């Protein structure tokens, strides 16, 4: 593992297209806490409009140079506040590219749209890789939604092609793959093997995993999902999937990064205290089972998350007592309520309102809702309708 990837206790995430948000993710927060790494996102938290994609490329170019700034202006055009990246004391930037399910229709070769993820990876590498390397930083990427080891092999070949084109040594580029699909959860070791030249670790992408569970098992009458709010990392199939990932990663010397606590701080002290306790409980659980780090969705929670992860990493935790091949299939038990349905509908409306304002994530009901959580709500509502279930009151 490269030196600048050895400490990943807390990673903060958000859209790469918003320069103010990028600066706030990379710099210290108002309490003086800073994330170790920041996942700057072309995927689930960003609407992939052409303007947002180009803004993202401009922002990561400036980050690689240590020069990103943003001026907040009034309606009359007066500069009210200037935000500036503190390049000497910032989180290490990682870029999450789009998955293979998305094409970029604004860029075509021989009349055919290119892969959005390939474009994000190649363009970011061409304009930043050598600049990051010159500043003793690794060009770092996240790749989402991998479902099969052959997909991992495909991505690994592209990493190698980019390195050859840029004439930089093999393994200069490092990637963390999100294991956030049910098929991918069965192929963790095979995926990691295919990435061995470029692997930094794997991530437990809990929200997309829940969506994938519902999507893959959607037509099975005995696997009808419970209310979204009732599915958490304490469910046996979610706990098994996380521990399986940790066990395999640590046996191979790769990092196992925990998932996202999607809570937002809230607008009053009582709510902030309650939300902080939820985040701390989640992160304490992730540390206790062996994760090397975790995700948070808001700078406010960096300090509490750091408190839960006191070690540089936990690669030495090999989990010998954990079954290598546990039950990963959800049980289809639990409440299915009118309240849960209302939550799903509200999330859909709120998310689409944000989408129409060119945003890919929205704060709603004290949660950060992005495309992954929207997909849970959408797929669950479809599944309930498909099976014509009677909701609990």
């Amino acid at each position: 593992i490269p030196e600048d990837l050895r400490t990943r206790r807390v990673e903060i995430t958000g859209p790469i297209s918003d320069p103010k948000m990028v600066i706030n993710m990379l710099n210290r927060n108002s309490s003086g806490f800073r994330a170790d790494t920041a996942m700057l996102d072309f995927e689930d938290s960003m609407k992939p409009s052409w303007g947002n994609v180009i803004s993202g490329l401009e922002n990561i170019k400036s980050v690689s140079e240590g020069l990103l700034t943003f001026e907040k202006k009034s309606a009359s055009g007066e500069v009210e506040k200037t935000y500036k990246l503190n390049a000497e004391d910032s989180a290490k930037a990682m870029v999450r590219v789009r998955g293979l399910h998305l094409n970029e229709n604004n860029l075509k070769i021989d009349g055919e749209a290119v892969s959005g993820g390939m474009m994000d990876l190649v363009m970011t590498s061409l304009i930043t890789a050598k600049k990051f390397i010159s500043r003793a930083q690794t060009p770092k990427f996240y790749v989402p939604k991998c479902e099969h080891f052959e997909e991992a092999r495909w991505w690994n070949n592209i990493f190698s092609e980019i390195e050859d084109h840029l004439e930089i040594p093999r393994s200069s580029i490092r990637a963390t793959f999100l294991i956030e699909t049910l098929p991918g959860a069965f192929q963790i070791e095979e995926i990691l093997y295919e990435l061995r030249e470029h692997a930094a670790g794997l991530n437990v992408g809990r929200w997309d995993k829940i969506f994938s569970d519902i999507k893959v098992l959607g037509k099975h009458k005995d696997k009808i999902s419970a209310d979204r709010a009732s599915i958490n990392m304490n469910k046996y199939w979610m706990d098994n999937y996380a521990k399986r990932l940790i066990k395999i990663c640590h046996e191979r010397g790769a990092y196992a990064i925990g998932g996202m606590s999607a809570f937002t701080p809230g607008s009053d002290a009582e709510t902030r205290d309650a939300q902080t306790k939820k985040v701390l409980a989640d992160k304490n659980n992730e540390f206790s089972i062996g994760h090397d780090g975790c995700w948070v969705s808001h700078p406010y929670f960096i300090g509490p998350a750091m408190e839960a992860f006191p070690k540089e990493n936990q690669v030495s935790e090999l989990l010998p007592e954990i079954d290598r091949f546990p039950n990963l299939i959800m049980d289809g038990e639990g409440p299915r309520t009118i309240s849960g349905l209302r939550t799903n509908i509200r999330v859909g409306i709120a998310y689409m309102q944000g989408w129409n304002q060119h945003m890919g994530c929205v704060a709603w009901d004290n949660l950060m809702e992005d495309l992954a959580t929207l997909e849970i709500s959408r797929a669950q509502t479809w599944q309930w309708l498909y099976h014509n279930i009677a909701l609990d009151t």
Side-chain angles (χ1 to χ4, degrees), residues 69-84:
T69 60
F70 173 73
E71 293 181 341
K72 180 183 178 182
K73 296 181 179 179
S74 66
S76 61
E78 297 290 324
V79 176
E80 295 181 335
K81 186 174 182 179
T82 299
Y83 297 81
K84 185 177 181 180

Side-chain angles (χ1 to χ4, degrees), residues 10 12 19-20 39 101 112 119 141 145 148 163 178-179 188 209 217 229 239 248 277 310 312 378 393:
V10 178
I12 189 168
K20 176 184 169 183
M39 190 277 283
H101 59 299
E112 184 177 350
M119 175 188 160
F141 292 92
K145 296 182 173 62
H148 197 278
E163 290 165 339
L178 289 115
I179 303 299
I188 292 172
K209 170 61 166 52
L217 303 171
D239 183 60
I248 291 171
K277 288 178 180 176
E312 182 182 72
R378 179 192 63 78
T393 56

Side-chain angles (χ1 to χ4, degrees), residues 61-330:
K61 178 177 181 293
S62 296
V63 169
S64 72
E65 297 164 341
L67 300 174
L68 183 62
T69 60
F70 173 73
E71 293 181 341
K72 180 183 178 182
K73 296 181 179 179
S74 66
S76 61
E78 297 290 324
V79 176
E80 295 181 335
K81 186 174 182 179
T82 299
Y83 297 81
K84 185 177 181 180
L85 174 66
N86 183 355
E88 301 306 313
D89 182 31
S90 66
K92 301 298 189 295
M94 308 179 75
V95 172
R96 180 164 71 172
V97 303
R98 284 170 282 183
L100 292 186
H101 59 299
L102 291 173
N103 289 332
E104 178 49 77
N105 292 311
N106 291 288
L107 182 62
K108 297 182 178 180
I109 298 175
D110 297 332
E112 184 177 350
V114 303
S115 160
M118 184 191 288
M119 175 188 160
D120 301 338
L121 174 61
V122 172
M123 292 287 285
T124 298
S125 298
L126 292 183
I127 63 178
T128 71
K130 288 188 174 180
K131 292 174 183 176
F132 276 125
I133 291 171
S134 71
R135 296 174 59 211
Q137 294 187 33
T138 304
K140 300 178 283 293
F141 292 92
Y142 259 106
V143 175
K145 296 182 173 62
C146 185
E147 293 192 305
H148 197 278
F149 72 85
E150 289 183 335
E151 182 182 343
R153 182 184 300 168
W154 185 88
W155 283 107
N156 190 72
N157 289 340
I158 295 174
F159 297 143
S160 297
E161 290 282 350
I162 292 170
E163 290 165 339
D164 292 345
H165 178 81
L166 293 175
E167 298 181 340
I168 57 179
R170 183 68 78 245
S171 303
S172 294
I173 294 171
R174 291 302 179 104
T176 302
F177 271 48
L178 289 115
I179 303 299
E180 52 186 350
T181 69
L182 182 56
F186 284 96
Q187 298 192 37
I188 292 172
E189 189 155 27
E190 293 86 344
I191 288 169
L192 187 59
Y193 174 79
E194 294 293 347
L195 298 171
R196 61 197 181 280
E197 290 182 319
H198 298 100
L202 301 176
N203 177 287
V204 171
R206 63 176 72 171
W207 301 110
D208 263 305
K209 170 61 166 52
I210 296 169
F211 161 57
S212 180
D213 289 341
I214 298 171
K215 181 178 71 171
V216 174
L217 303 171
K219 294 185 178 181
H220 291 253
K221 292 181 180 180
D222 61 338
K223 304 300 179 189
I224 303 174
S225 56
D227 279 5
R228 186 187 103 163
S230 72
I231 303 175
N232 55 38
M233 296 309 295
N234 293 320
K235 295 293 185 180
Y236 72 80
W237 69 93
M238 298 296 289
D239 183 60
N240 286 346
Y241 134 76
K243 289 175 179 175
R244 170 171 159 79
L245 184 143
I246 295 165
K247 180 182 181 73
I248 291 171
C249 282
H250 287 180
E251 286 178 349
R252 302 299 182 184
Y255 280 25
I257 306 300
M260 168 65 76
S261 287
F263 304 110
T264 56
S267 57
D268 59 82
E270 184 179 357
T271 302
R272 286 193 293 273
D273 182 61
Q275 297 292 81
T276 300
K277 288 178 180 176
K278 293 175 186 176
V279 170
L280 191 55
D282 180 50
K283 300 313 166 192
N284 281 332
N285 176 66
E286 289 184 316
F287 180 81
S288 71
I289 65 174
H291 280 294
D292 300 290
C294 65
W295 278 13
V296 295
S297 64
H298 195 284
Y300 184 85
F301 296 124
I302 293 173
M306 284 286 186
E307 181 183 333
F309 279 84
K311 295 182 181 179
E312 182 182 72
N313 64 69
Q314 298 197 94
V315 177
S316 61
E317 297 292 335
L318 300 180
L319 279 63
E321 74 284 1
I322 299 302
D323 184 0
R324 195 178 199 80
F325 303 103
N327 185 358
L328 301 177
I329 303 298
M330 70 176 181

